[in-house]
Amino acid sequence: MPELQSRRTGKTFGAAALYILSLLPADRASAADVSYEKRISDAIARSVSDGRAVWLNLDQGSFLSIFLEAETRETHGAVLIIPGILEHADSTGLVRGLRSLFPARGWSAMSLQMPGGDPDRDLKRQLSRLSGSGARIRSAVDYLAAEKIKKFVLIGHGLGAWAAVDYLTANPKPGTLALVLVGMPVFPDNPLFGPQIETLKKIDVPVLDIYGSRDLDSVIDGAGLRREWMKKNQDFRQIEIAGANHEFQSETGLVFKRIYSWVKRNLRPIEAEE
């Protein structure tokens, strides 16, 4: 089975990526996982300093998101930030950085807490828990609609990028203005990724693919495949950030500038339509 390995550190993040999109019902999560997520989410909600904690509803309980409103008079929509494995709704680096930087440019921002349990457990179980991500993204979209925000950009990091594609597989809603894939790993021989790969080939909204030159092997080695899958999309662009690893800790500001300038350039005609 494929491993997620960093070319910078050689650290193996785990195998069995086939679990990521197995789409198990959210109510199959163990009581221990639910209890762990609640403890972590409660602690995050108490410590949030930029934005407000928002608890979004699911069929089974609720989950944490963090919402920060646009700071400008003219607003363009919202960015939905979907963390990768072992991240949370207020992780330092990309998640918190992107959420805090977009509002000054006229975009509200919301980061989502993805399903997860104790990170000390087997990572195969961590990957399997991401199967509840589609319902969480739908709940966030519904919340934004209630806030009169009907246009949004999906930004997925790592396996969170596949969660965004999985959402688009089942919810091709017109409110999705664009898709940003940051450090997206590729597992072409995994049959469970087949439907999502086919979705990638058919996505007709602008797609930006960003990865680091020192990213995970599965991200760097899959760059060519991602370009091949998106060859019919005339609004696809791929950018390599020199020196960046999978976490982009030192390059968050640069990643924001790349995303923002690309979004501004690509979405202007779409935003003019009402």
Side-chain angles (χ1 to χ4, degrees):
M1 295 181 186
E3 290 186 334
L4 308 181
Q5 189 174 58
S6 169
R7 288 191 171 173
R8 177 178 181 181
T9 64
K11 178 179 178 183
T12 297
F13 288 86
L18 60 90
Y19 289 90
I20 176 67
L21 298 172
S22 56
L23 302 180
L24 296 174
D27 59 6
R28 293 276 295 276
S30 71
D33 292 345
V34 172
S35 176
Y36 179 85
E37 181 181 335
K38 186 177 186 307
R39 292 197 307 273
I40 295 299
S41 296
D42 286 344
I44 294 170
R46 289 192 298 268
S47 64
V48 170
S49 57
D50 59 335
R52 68 175 184 268
V54 177
W55 295 91
L56 299 176
N57 294 325
L58 294 171
D59 290 340
Q60 303 290 331
S62 61
F63 70 98
L64 175 68
S65 67
I66 302 174
F67 181 66
L68 194 57
E69 292 180 313
E71 300 171 2
T72 58
R73 178 175 298 180
E74 180 183 3
T75 60
H76 308 298
V79 294
L80 272 177
I81 303 163
I82 307 162
I85 195 70
L86 302 183
E87 293 181 310
H88 56 71
D90 197 36
S91 288
T92 57
L94 277 179
V95 177
R96 185 188 298 171
L98 294 178
R99 189 186 70 234
S100 64
L101 290 168
F102 267 100
R105 301 298 183 95
W107 290 84
S108 296
M110 173 175 275
S111 54
L112 308 183
Q113 181 71 28
M114 289 290 100
D118 188 336
D120 291 333
R121 296 182 183 182
D122 182 70
L123 190 53
K124 295 178 183 180
R125 292 173 58 83
Q126 292 290 321
L127 293 172
S128 71
R129 294 183 185 102
L130 285 181
S131 61
S133 58
R136 298 189 180 212
I137 298 172
R138 285 193 297 272
S139 182
V141 169
D142 291 343
Y143 175 85
L144 293 174
E147 293 286 312
K148 310 301 183 185
I149 302 173
K150 297 182 179 180
K151 298 177 180 179
F152 56 92
V153 174
L154 291 175
I155 303 176
H157 178 220
L159 290 170
W162 280 112
V165 173
D166 183 58
Y167 167 80
L168 290 175
T169 301
N171 301 272
K173 293 184 177 180
T176 306
L177 294 177
L179 174 64
V180 180
L181 313 171
V182 184
M184 183 185 202
V186 169
F187 308 103
D189 298 327
N190 191 318
L192 289 178
F193 282 82
Q196 285 68 37
I197 291 172
E198 291 305 310
T199 296
L200 268 179
K201 294 178 180 179
K202 298 174 183 177
I203 288 175
D204 58 4
V205 299
V207 177
L208 177 63
D209 181 340
I210 298 178
Y211 67 100
S213 65
R214 304 175 75 182
D215 215 313
L216 306 179
D217 291 347
S218 54
V219 177
I220 296 173
D221 295 341
L225 278 175
R226 296 194 300 274
R227 288 195 302 272
E228 174 67 20
W229 293 336
M230 298 300 300
K231 65 182 179 180
K232 293 183 179 180
N233 188 323
Q234 296 182 354
D235 295 316
F236 172 78
R237 187 183 180 194
Q238 189 173 75
I239 299 174
E240 180 185 80
I241 305 294
N245 66 0
H246 190 62
E247 286 73 32
F248 295 90
Q249 287 281 7
S250 301
E251 297 83 10
T252 296
L254 178 58
V255 172
F256 165 74
K257 290 179 181 178
R258 294 287 185 268
I259 295 175
Y260 174 73
S261 62
W262 176 84
V263 166
K264 184 178 180 181
R265 183 168 57 251
N266 281 274
L267 300 190
R268 193 172 300 161
I270 299 175
E271 290 176 348
E273 297 177 2
E274 295 293 347

